[in-house]
């Protein structure tokens, strides 16, 4: 099989070999006869068929073109002799080439120094439109001789230039070349760039003087180029003043495309407002300003309304913001805009015609949410080679988006919002996304993303090369997606159940713990609650330390009302002049009962509890008892303010633990219920309450 293919190939190619020299290749495309004798180390020009139209002799070792070498090639249209060793042309070298339109002599050794160009050597080339003779002569003599003055048809000239004292104006001989539209330099050295430089080339539309060494720029160098469309001044070591001087010309001269790539090596800023002011009337459409050292470009005024393409790639930009009313392409790759664009937009207002934005290689970790808002025509966004981990920006408004290049980032997965936005756009446009070389995760937490990817796999370019981190940390290829989704589904259901169990387990223990704590500190909590409430709710006179409204708060169950009225009030209040707080009498009507209790306890020096079985059973009595306990602990520095009177015999086992503790501390007295004992009883109580 291989053998057959091989012989076939040899046959087809061998049939192309030219009969006059089997190293050359001859072929015919739509009546045009091509002869290609490139790179075969020939030193002389072969005898060629007179039907040849396009002849390629480049990359050979030809030194001399002798008289009459091409004299029978009257149908030749293009001749490429570039990259040879040409040192001499004879007067009759181009005899017969009356139809030649394009002649390339680039990269040879032709120089007037060794009289390479006899005067009139180009004479026979009556139809020549395009002459490329650049990279021959560092002294650039050809440009200032009469050798090419009669090439009236010439439209495009590429030539070496050296504005030396021997040749003051490069274009001395160009005044008859009224058809010349394009001028490009090879070796190039200008002492001055001035209004004389292009004086005689008034019809130029294209000027490329890139890589020239230019010592001085004078005013008005381009002011008479009323046809100018493109100016290439790349790779020149200009300073800002040179640029200002050049751009100043475009107040009166039209220009559509200005190329100044690596023109300003060490300049960090330009007078941007002036710069764009000069270009406002010029009709400028494209600005290439890459590879300079601009750091900061924020301008008050909008970009020129005609500007469509703006290239500021390969600078050091850390800030960039413009109003760009009609811009269509913005190229900002290879800058340092990451930090700025995290919280700012690059466009100040709506960019209604913007179609293409390149922000690759910018160390972007996050983009401002609204960065692409008001870009109704945006088709391509290149965010490759950044450090994005998700899509933080809103692109739900980008109805025309066709290409979102997110390759070489650190994206783990898309959030649900991003997924919905993408699905929505993809419905109405042919959106494609490049997600190659990211940190995609194939795990349970990204399962919805992987599943969504399967459903939308046609959106992703080169999806068969994507890789993701599997749950066990090994990296797998993501394609085909379906088995991955199935396996994730299997592994993650158990995982989901496990997560659910653990979560509810944790929640349950939290409830139990909080409940337990609340129960343990229930009295303290209630006390703090009521104290805080009373502080905010009621006006209370600030009591001096140790001064209380009441001497004692009597806590009793309603069944002991008789004992209260017949014994306590007469004995303590009437006889001893003590001030008691009795709930029936002293509580503020309208106030919450629990609040009243807390206030009463707080405003009384002591709290006396009349303990009976019904006291122990009463909710409010026990509330009063416990609140008094809390008061003694939290407001009275641990001083005991509780005093218990046992009206009935109660077994210790019937008492709550905290009450038993008080009994053990002797803070209680039993009611004797006989004449003599009562006297002692009331004395004891009085003593307790007064101290
Ligand atoms: C001519 O041949 C050279 C070398 O074989 C090749 O590189 C070049 O592409 C060919 N050019 C044309 C126009 O066929
Ligand atoms: C031409 O010469 C160079 C250098 O001597 C050699 O490398 C190359 O192979 C030669 N090409 C042909 C087609 O003979
Ligand atoms: C070139 O050759 C032609 C005849 O083939 C002759 O008439 C002419 O003088 C020669 N010119 C030079 C410069 O040798
Ligand atoms: C051009 O010709 C000169 C003089 O013969 C020679 O010194 C020089 O090396 C040649 N240059 C090239 C690039 O062949
Ligand atoms: C331009 O052409 C005219 C008429 O053909 C001629 O007189 C004049 O010398 C030419 N100028 C140059 C610089 O060759
Ligand atoms: C401008 O000049 C640079 C450097 O010579 C070159 O690489 C680029 O292709 C030129 N651009 C145009 C549009 O001619
Ligand atoms: C950015 O992405 C676009 C579209 O995918 C591509 O055409 C362009 O070459 C990329 N730019 C760079 C600098 O890689
Ligand atoms: C995305 O950008 C990268 C790097 O700039 C490039 O290599 C790739 O071709 C682009 N993808 C597409 C689909 O254009
Ligand atoms: C991780 O899981 C994949 C897929 O189940 C398996 O092919 C691979 O061998 C595992 N790697 C390790 C290190 O366990």
């Amino acid at each position: 099989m291989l053998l057959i293919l091989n012989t076939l190939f040899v046959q087809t190619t061998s049939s192309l070999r030219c009969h006059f020299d089997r190293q050359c290749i001859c072929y015919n495309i739509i009546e045009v006869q091509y002869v290609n004798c490139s790179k075969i180390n020939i030193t002389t020009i072969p005898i060629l068929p007179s039907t040849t139209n396009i002849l390629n002799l480049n990359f050979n070792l030809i030194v001399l073109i002798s008289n009459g070498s091409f004299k029978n090639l009257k149908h030749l249209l293009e001749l490429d002799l570039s990259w040879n060793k040409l040192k001499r042309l004879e007067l009759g070298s181009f005899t017969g080439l009356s139809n030649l339109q394009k002649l390339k002599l680039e990269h040879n050794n032709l120089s007037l120094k060794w009289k390479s160009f006899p005067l009139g050597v180009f004479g026979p080339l009556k139809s020549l439109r395009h002459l490329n003779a650049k990279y021959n002569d560092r002294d650039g003599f050809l440009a200032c001789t009469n050798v090419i003055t009669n090439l009236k048809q010439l439209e495009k000239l590429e030539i070496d230039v050296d504005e030396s004292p021997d040749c003051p104006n490069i274009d001395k001989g160009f005044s008859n070349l009224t058809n010349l539209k394009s001028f490009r330099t090879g070796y190039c050295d200008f002492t001055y760039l001035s209004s004389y430089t292009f004086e005689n080339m008034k019809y130029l539309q294209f000027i490329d003087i890139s890589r020239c060494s230019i010592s001085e720029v004078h005013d008005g160098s381009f002011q008479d180029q009323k046809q100018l469309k493109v100016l290439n001044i790349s790779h020149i070591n200009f300073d800002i003043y040179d640029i200002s001087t050049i751009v100043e010309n475009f107040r009166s001269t039209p220009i559509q495309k200005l190329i100044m790539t690596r023109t300003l090596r060490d300049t960090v800023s330009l007078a941007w407002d002036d710069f764009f002011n000069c270009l406002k009337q010029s009709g400028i459409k494209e600005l290439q300003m890459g590879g300079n050292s601009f750091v900061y470009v924020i301008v008050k005024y909008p970009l020129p309304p005609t500007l469509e393409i703006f290239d500021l790639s390969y600078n050091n930009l850390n800030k960039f913001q413009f109003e760009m009313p009609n811009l269509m392409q913005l190229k900002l790759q290879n800058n340092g805009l990451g930090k700025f664009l995290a919280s700012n937009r690059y466009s100040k207002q709506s960019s209604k015609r913007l179609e293409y934005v390149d922000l690759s290689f910018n160390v972007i970790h996050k983009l401002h949410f609204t960065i692409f808002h008001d870009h109704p025509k945006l088709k391509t966004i290149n965010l490759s080679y950044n450090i994005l981990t998700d899509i933080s920006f809103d692109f739900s408004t980008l109805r025309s988006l066709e290409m979102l290049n997110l390759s070489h980032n650190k994206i783990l997965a898309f959030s649900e919002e991003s997924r919905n936005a993408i699905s929505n756009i993809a419905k109405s446009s042919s959106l494609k996304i490049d997600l190659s070389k990211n940190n995609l995760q194939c795990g349970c937490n990204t399962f919805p993303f992987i599943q969504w990817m399967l459903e939308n796999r046609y959106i992703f370019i080169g999806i068969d090369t994507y890789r993701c981190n599997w749950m066990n940390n090994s990296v797998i290829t993501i394609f085909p997606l379906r088995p991955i989704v199935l396996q994730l589904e299997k592994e993650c259901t158990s995982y989901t159940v496990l997560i659910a169990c653990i979560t509810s387990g944790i929640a349950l223990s939290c409830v139990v713990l909080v409940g337990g704590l609340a129960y343990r500190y229930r009295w303290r909590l209630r006390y703090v609650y009521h104290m805080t409430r009373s502080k905010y709710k009621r006006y209370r006179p600030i009591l001096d330390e140790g001064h209380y409204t009441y001497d004692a708060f009597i806590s009793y169950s309603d069944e002991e009302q008789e004992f209260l009225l017949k014994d306590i009030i007469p004995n303590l209040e009437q006889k001893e002049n003590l001030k008691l707080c009795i709930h029936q009498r002293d509580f503020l009507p309208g106030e919450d009962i629990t609040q009243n209790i807390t206030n009463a306890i707080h405003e009384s020096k002591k709290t006396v509890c009349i303990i009976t079985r019904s006291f122990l059973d009463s909710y409010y009595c026990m509330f009063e008892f416990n609140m008094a306990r809390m008061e003694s602990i939290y407001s009275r520095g641990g001083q005991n303010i509780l005093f218990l009177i046992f009206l009935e015999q109660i077994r210790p086992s019937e008492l709550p633990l905290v009450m038993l503790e008080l009994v053990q501390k002797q803070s209680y007295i039993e009611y004797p219920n006989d004449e003599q004992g009562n006297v002692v009883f009331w004395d004891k109580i009085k003593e307790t309450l007064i101290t």
Side-chain angles (χ1 to χ4, degrees):
M1 181 69 190
L2 201 72
L3 200 78
I4 297 167
L5 265 183
N6 208 10
T7 45
L8 258 179
F9 179 73
V10 170
Q11 268 173 9
T12 40
T13 44
S14 67
S15 73
L16 292 174
R17 301 264 176 221
C18 304
H19 60 86
F20 58 88
D21 185 334
R22 300 199 52 84
Q23 284 177 288
C24 296
I25 293 174
C26 291
Y27 56 96
N28 199 307
I29 301 177
I30 329 169
E31 308 279 293
V32 178
Q33 180 66 51
Y34 289 79
V35 175
N36 189 351
C37 302
S38 168
K39 297 180 189 166
I40 54 171
N41 293 350
I42 47 171
T43 53
T44 53
I45 292 163
I47 314 280
L48 295 149
S50 60
T51 50
T52 310
N53 298 122
I54 314 270
L55 174 57
N56 186 357
L57 293 168
N58 66 14
F59 294 95
N60 281 297
L61 306 169
I62 302 165
V63 179
L64 168 78
I65 300 178
S66 48
N67 182 7
S69 292
F70 303 108
K71 68 170 185 289
N72 62 335
L73 298 181
K74 62 168 177 296
H75 301 293
L76 200 61
L77 301 173
E78 293 184 15
L79 173 58
D80 188 348
L81 282 162
S82 57
W83 296 94
N84 277 278
K85 304 281 175 203
L86 283 182
K87 210 174 152 197
R88 213 152 64 80
L89 304 178
E90 288 187 344
L91 190 52
S93 291
F94 298 122
T95 306
L97 297 177
S98 55
N99 285 309
L100 193 70
Q101 296 183 359
K102 183 169 174 181
L103 175 59
K104 284 177 94 173
L105 296 168
E106 178 179 353
H107 285 280
N108 279 287
N109 200 355
L110 298 167
S111 166
L112 279 207
K113 236 187 283 180
W114 25 92
K115 302 200 168 27
S116 296
F117 300 101
L119 200 65
V121 66
F122 294 124
L125 304 173
K126 298 282 185 237
S127 308
L128 198 65
R129 303 244 170 86
H130 180 179
L131 174 61
N132 176 356
K134 64 182 191 285
Y135 298 113
N136 273 278
D137 177 14
R138 289 189 185 276
D139 294 329
F141 280 132
L142 181 61
C144 53
T145 59
N146 291 333
V147 179
I148 54 175
T149 50
N150 290 317
L151 297 173
K152 299 228 163 103
Q153 306 304 315
L154 210 58
E155 289 172 7
K156 195 167 172 185
L157 178 60
E158 300 178 54
I159 203 164
D160 299 322
V161 164
D162 182 4
E163 225 187 23
S164 59
D166 302 336
C167 178
N169 286 319
I170 55 151
D171 60 341
K172 224 170 42 179
F174 296 167
S175 56
N176 281 347
L177 305 183
T178 50
N179 286 310
L180 200 61
K181 295 193 177 74
S182 170
F183 179 78
R184 174 178 264 148
T185 53
Y187 296 127
C188 174
D189 192 344
F190 284 106
T191 323
Y192 308 115
L193 200 58
S194 74
S195 57
Y196 300 115
T197 312
F198 298 102
E199 196 183 19
N200 292 322
M201 305 156 89
K202 293 205 166 53
Y203 311 102
L204 288 179
Q205 297 176 1
F206 178 98
I207 299 177
D208 182 350
I209 49 169
S210 59
R211 298 178 198 273
C212 282
S213 95
I214 296 177
S215 315
E216 276 180 52
V217 179
H218 293 177
D219 289 344
S221 330
F222 299 100
Q223 70 184 5
D224 295 326
Q225 303 310 122
K226 298 301 181 196
Q227 312 289 325
L228 192 62
K229 290 196 173 110
V230 181
L231 176 62
N232 192 344
I233 47 172
S234 303
H235 296 265
I236 302 179
N237 267 320
F238 276 145
D239 61 23
I240 355 174
Y241 304 106
D242 297 330
I243 285 297
S244 305
T245 312
I246 288 176
V247 173
E248 197 64 35
N249 290 293
F250 302 120
R251 285 188 192 277
S252 56
T253 304
I255 185 165
Q256 291 180 2
K257 185 166 167 180
L258 178 59
I259 303 155
M260 38 185 294
T261 307
R262 309 184 72 168
T263 295
L264 286 158
R265 225 29 106 64
D266 307 314
T267 310
V268 299
S269 187
L270 205 61
W272 288 100
D273 286 321
D274 288 350
F275 181 82
F276 286 116
N277 232 338
C278 293
L279 288 169
K280 216 161 55 185
Q281 307 295 332
S282 64
I284 186 88
K285 282 192 179 149
E286 178 170 351
L287 262 176
Q288 293 186 15
M289 305 182 79
N292 292 294
S293 315
F294 301 129
V295 170
Y296 184 102
V297 188
I298 292 191
V299 179
K300 261 198 301 213
Y301 304 109
L303 289 174
T306 49
L307 192 63
E308 290 175 352
I309 301 175
F310 193 13
D311 182 347
L312 266 171
S313 54
Y314 294 91
N315 278 283
N316 298 324
L317 292 182
N318 58 33
K319 287 198 173 104
F320 174 92
Q321 198 172 54
F322 269 107
E323 204 174 307
M324 39 185 82
N326 291 312
L327 203 64
M328 294 169 75
Q329 295 188 18
L330 182 58
K331 299 176 185 175
L332 290 172
Q333 66 267 33
N334 295 78
N335 278 290
L337 287 167
K339 222 179 197 170
F340 180 76
L341 293 178
S343 47
N344 293 280
R345 294 166 49 125
Y346 52 79
S347 61
K348 271 195 189 154
Q349 279 173 356
S350 138
S351 310
K352 27 180 207 305
R353 297 182 64 201
L354 200 62
E355 289 180 358
Y356 178 98
V357 179
D358 196 335
L359 290 169
S360 49
F361 293 98
N362 260 291
V363 205
I364 295 171
H365 66 283
K366 172 179 178 257
L367 281 174
H368 188 49
F369 184 71
T370 67
I371 189 159
F372 299 122
H373 281 191
D374 306 313
H375 289 33
K377 293 260 169 68
L378 198 54
K379 281 193 190 137
T380 305
I381 303 174
N382 194 344
L383 284 166
S384 57
Y385 289 99
N386 281 296
I387 48 174
L388 292 167
T389 50
D390 189 7
I391 299 184
S392 60
F393 48 94
D394 181 29
F395 56 97
S396 56
T397 56
L398 301 177
R399 293 285 147 206
S400 315
L401 195 62
E402 286 172 5
M403 165 62 69
L404 179 59
N405 194 337
L406 289 166
S407 64
H408 295 270
N409 274 278
K410 301 199 178 309
I411 290 174
L412 310 172
F414 289 159
S415 65
E416 193 179 348
E417 247 177 8
S418 311
R419 297 199 296 266
N420 290 341
I422 292 170
S423 308
N424 266 336
I425 296 172
K427 264 185 230 152
S428 56
S429 85
S430 53
L431 176 64
K432 297 277 177 219
I433 297 179
D434 189 342
L435 254 185
S436 49
K437 306 277 180 201
N438 274 283
N439 277 355
L440 300 180
Q441 300 291 318
C442 291
C444 290
N445 47 347
T446 59
F447 177 55
F449 166 68
I450 302 293
Q451 208 172 18
W452 171 86
M453 240 182 140
L454 171 64
E455 286 156 21
N456 295 278
R457 60 194 174 282
Y458 302 112
I459 293 179
F460 295 96
I461 289 186
I463 194 167
D464 49 333
T465 67
Y466 296 3
R467 297 163 82 79
C468 73
N469 287 337
W470 187 248
M471 286 180 281
N472 60 7
N473 281 334
S474 64
V475 178
I476 59 169
T477 50
I478 209 166
F479 200 78
L481 263 164
R482 197 173 299 277
I484 291 183
V485 168
L486 288 178
Q487 195 170 350
L488 275 179
E489 204 165 23
K490 209 168 66 195
E491 307 231 353
C492 297
T493 359
S494 50
Y495 177 80
T496 317
V497 170
L498 185 66
I499 289 282
C501 287
I502 291 175
T503 316
S504 45
I506 290 174
L508 192 67
S509 15
C510 280
V511 167
V512 167
L513 188 68
V514 168
L517 282 175
Y519 183 74
R520 168 97 164 71
Y521 292 107
R522 65 197 183 283
W523 290 114
R524 178 174 181 180
L525 290 171
R526 289 167 92 167
Y527 175 76
V528 169
Y529 165 73
H530 285 294
M531 288 313 293
T532 319
R533 234 183 108 190
S534 77
K535 237 180 233 159
Y536 289 109
K537 253 188 117 171
R538 265 178 65 166
Y539 167 73
R540 282 193 316 143
I542 297 158
L543 301 170
D544 290 344
E545 185 106 22
H547 282 79
Y548 297 96
T549 320
Y550 305 104
D551 289 305
F553 168 62
I554 309 295
S555 167
Y556 63 98
S557 134
D558 282 342
E559 281 170 35
E560 272 65 58
Q561 206 158 7
E562 202 185 307
F563 173 69
L564 181 86
L565 295 177
K566 289 215 182 121
D567 294 275
I568 292 191
I569 294 182
N571 273 313
L572 294 179
E573 213 163 46
Q574 286 156 14
K575 252 195 219 157
E576 303 296 347
N577 221 4
L578 290 173
K579 201 155 180 289
L580 300 183
C581 177
I582 312 288
H583 73 75
Q584 276 174 329
R585 190 183 68 191
D586 298 311
F587 275 13
L588 281 176
E591 179 84 85
D592 194 26
I593 169 104
T594 51
Q595 194 62 50
N596 256 321
I597 292 171
T598 341
N599 293 336
I601 290 170
H602 194 61
E603 287 165 23
S604 303
K605 199 165 144 202
K606 298 255 156 137
T607 297
V608 177
C609 297
I610 317 289
I611 308 292
T612 57
R613 283 199 176 73
S614 59
F615 182 99
L616 296 180
D617 290 341
S618 155
Y619 172 79
Y620 283 112
C621 289
M622 286 312 287
F623 182 82
E624 286 165 353
F625 168 77
N626 278 305
M627 278 300 161
R629 240 170 21 92
M630 290 301 124
E631 170 84 9
S632 81
I633 296 171
Y634 295 112
S635 287
R636 309 281 171 97
Q639 182 203 352
N640 187 20
I641 62 160
L642 253 178
F643 192 74
L644 313 180
I645 298 175
F646 282 86
L647 271 194
E648 302 169 0
Q649 286 289 329
I650 299 177
R651 271 179 287 122
S653 59
E654 291 173 71
L655 291 176
L657 213 58
V658 281
M659 204 176 269
L660 217 57
E661 229 172 80
L662 277 172
V663 173
Q664 276 161 5
K665 279 194 209 153
Q666 308 274 310
S667 297
Y668 78 103
I669 191 165
E670 282 177 50
Y671 187 60
N673 220 350
D674 64 66
E675 282 287 303
Q676 243 182 346
N678 279 0
V679 176
V680 180
F681 174 83
W682 291 116
D683 277 351
K684 180 93 187 283
I685 292 197
K686 195 187 89 189
E687 194 188 323
T688 311
L689 293 186
I690 288 169
T691 55

